[in-house]
Amino acid sequence: MDDKPIDKEEILNELSEFHKLDYDYADGRILGSMCTEAHPFAKEVYCKFLDTNLGDPGLFKGTQLIENEVIKSIGELLSIENPYGHIVTGGTEANLMAIRAARNHARKYKGIVNGEIIIPESAHFSFKKAADMLNLKIVEAALDDNYKIDVESLKEVISDSTVAIVAIAGTTELGLIDPIEEISKIALENNIYFHVDAAFGGFSIPFLRRCGYDLPVFDFSLEGVCSITVDPHKMGLAPIPAGGILFREEEYLQVMAVDSPYLTVKTQSTIVGTRLGASSAATYAVMKYFGKEGYTKIACNLMANTMFFKEGLEEIGYEVICEPELNIVAFNHPKMDTSVLAEKLEELGWKVSVAKCPVAIRVVLMNHIKLNHLKELLEDLKDIY
Ligand code: 0PR
């Protein structure tokens, strides 16, 4: 730090030099991000609430009401009237809270000490962090030929130590939806906590269903589903950080509660203490601003772009890994190594992301990737071919 104060202008100039090194969503070159530029209105609201702290909600009663409202309206999208939950920093924290709730619940009611969680091979790496922090063993369920949880393989790995089963509604790499209805039944039959990670799909599947896409049910209407992660900072167009965790029962929050004696509330269930109210306010604003109609338009438009891109790739001769269910396309060149193709695209200024399972270039068709960017990308892919 400098000894003397520095003029604002000089600081801003310095900062913008750093900022110039960042990629800009608006250039349409970021192909592998699930985040995108937040809506300007959401950003405006975010700034107004920057000083609010939901870690001590008695001091920010209004902002607490906003968080409650946001959880309730996300709950409505997920077919639950009275959800319990929080707006947190993202999918990682939401998944961590779900697994912590499952572990504590199993410890309290079933006496499980050395627990296991069953996750599909396609699960986001946040579950590995959760298992590590919560001292749980990860057991992987295999995927079927369509890259979705193989239900038979899942049944085989259930044990007396299983504290949670996880399935994904919108996988990170391929955007696929696991057979959640079937898994919900299995979880119920075996009396095991079932968490659905809809960090990506939660803000699009309900809207795509509204406009006629035949997508499977993944939400609380399935009796076995105990919690769902759904991130406003992905398809919800809210500013980072905004993740959402919703629980069916208040008990799941209570089993995580620790005493917080000197705060305005007596217990706290979230992982983070001091906690941004701005995330809740911005999410509230953007949800009201778009409404179901607005989100439906966005989701359908992104699916149209997805199909345009997929068909364009196939016309050139690229191999698309699977029929897209959500706005992600993964593909390979029939002969060229994926890493070589990735390198060539990087040389042309595209920021690509390579999936591991299976190895393929993956493009997440977020709002910042417009039709003209896709046309340019297809032109480049044609030249490379
Ligand atoms: N669950 C799923 C299904 C996810 O895809 C992700 C993140 C998470 C949980 C974790 O969410 P947070 O990152 O909010 O904690 N999916 C993206 C990924 O890891 C996130 C991302 C976003 C990556 C922007 C890159 C990027 O530029 O691939």
Side-chain angles (χ1 to χ4, degrees), residues 70-144:
V70 171
I71 293 299
K72 202 170 158 59
S73 46
I74 296 178
E76 192 209 324
L77 290 177
L78 303 178
S79 314
I80 188 167
E81 210 174 309
N82 285 312
Y84 300 87
H86 290 287
I87 294 300
V88 294
T89 53
T92 301
E93 194 186 339
N95 287 339
L96 178 56
M97 276 186 72
I99 299 304
R100 183 170 171 234
R103 184 202 61 172
N104 291 8
H105 196 267
R107 190 162 60 193
K108 184 170 173 190
Y109 293 104
K110 297 184 188 167
I112 299 178
V113 182
N114 295 310
E116 300 175 352
I117 54 169
I118 301 175
I119 64 171
E121 268 175 67
S122 53
H124 184 257
F125 53 79
S126 47
F127 291 101
K128 296 200 171 137
K129 297 182 187 175
D132 184 37
M133 283 187 254
L134 298 167
N135 209 16
L136 295 166
K137 187 177 156 204
I138 287 201
V139 179
E140 273 188 354
L143 302 183
D144 63 18

Side-chain angles (χ1 to χ4, degrees), residues 33-35 90-92 95 124-126 170 172 197 199 231 233-234:
S33 170
M34 284 187 172
C35 295
T92 301
N95 287 339
H124 184 257
F125 53 79
S126 47
T172 306
D197 181 357
D231 285 353
H233 74 196
K234 295 190 168 75

Side-chain angles (χ1 to χ4, degrees), residues 216-277:
V217 181
F218 72 103
D219 63 15
F220 288 107
S221 59
L222 304 170
E223 219 186 315
V225 173
C226 301
S227 53
I228 304 183
T229 289
V230 40
D231 285 353
H233 74 196
K234 295 190 168 75
M235 290 294 287
L237 298 178
I240 302 169
I245 178 67
L246 274 73
F247 294 98
R248 184 187 288 279
E249 308 281 349
E250 194 174 17
E251 174 72 10
Y252 295 129
L253 283 175
Q254 282 162 357
V255 292
M256 292 192 279
V258 298
D259 291 341
S260 50
Y262 50 84
L263 299 186
T264 50
V265 282
K266 294 294 158 249
T267 63
Q268 198 173 79
S269 297
T270 47
I271 290 158
V272 171
T274 300
R275 200 158 61 82
L276 272 163

Side-chain angles (χ1 to χ4, degrees), residues 180-249:
I180 289 166
E181 188 164 2
E182 262 179 283
I183 299 170
S184 165
K185 284 189 195 136
I186 296 168
L188 267 186
E189 276 163 23
N190 291 276
N191 186 27
I192 295 171
Y193 187 103
F194 180 30
H195 174 64
V196 174
D197 181 357
F200 182 61
F203 259 96
S204 65
I205 300 167
F207 304 115
L208 289 172
R209 282 164 63 91
R210 266 171 70 95
C211 62
Y213 283 84
D214 182 22
L215 295 173
V217 181
F218 72 103
D219 63 15
F220 288 107
S221 59
L222 304 170
E223 219 186 315
V225 173
C226 301
S227 53
I228 304 183
T229 289
V230 40
D231 285 353
H233 74 196
K234 295 190 168 75
M235 290 294 287
L237 298 178
I240 302 169
I245 178 67
L246 274 73
F247 294 98
R248 184 187 288 279
E249 308 281 349

Side-chain angles (χ1 to χ4, degrees), residues 27-49:
D27 294 337
R29 295 262 149 181
I30 302 178
L31 302 179
S33 170
M34 284 187 172
C35 295
T36 191
E37 193 175 345
H39 193 276
F41 180 51
K43 293 192 225 184
E44 188 188 322
V45 170
Y46 188 90
C47 292
K48 282 194 202 302
F49 281 80

Side-chain angles (χ1 to χ4, degrees), residues 6-7 18 51 68 75 87 108 115-116 178 196 220 245-246 269 305 344 370 379:
I6 294 177
D7 191 60
F18 286 113
D51 296 324
N68 298 347
I87 294 300
K108 184 170 173 190
E116 300 175 352
D178 282 323
V196 174
F220 288 107
I245 178 67
L246 274 73
S269 297
N305 286 355
K344 286 182 189 280
K370 307 293 181 202
E379 277 305 312

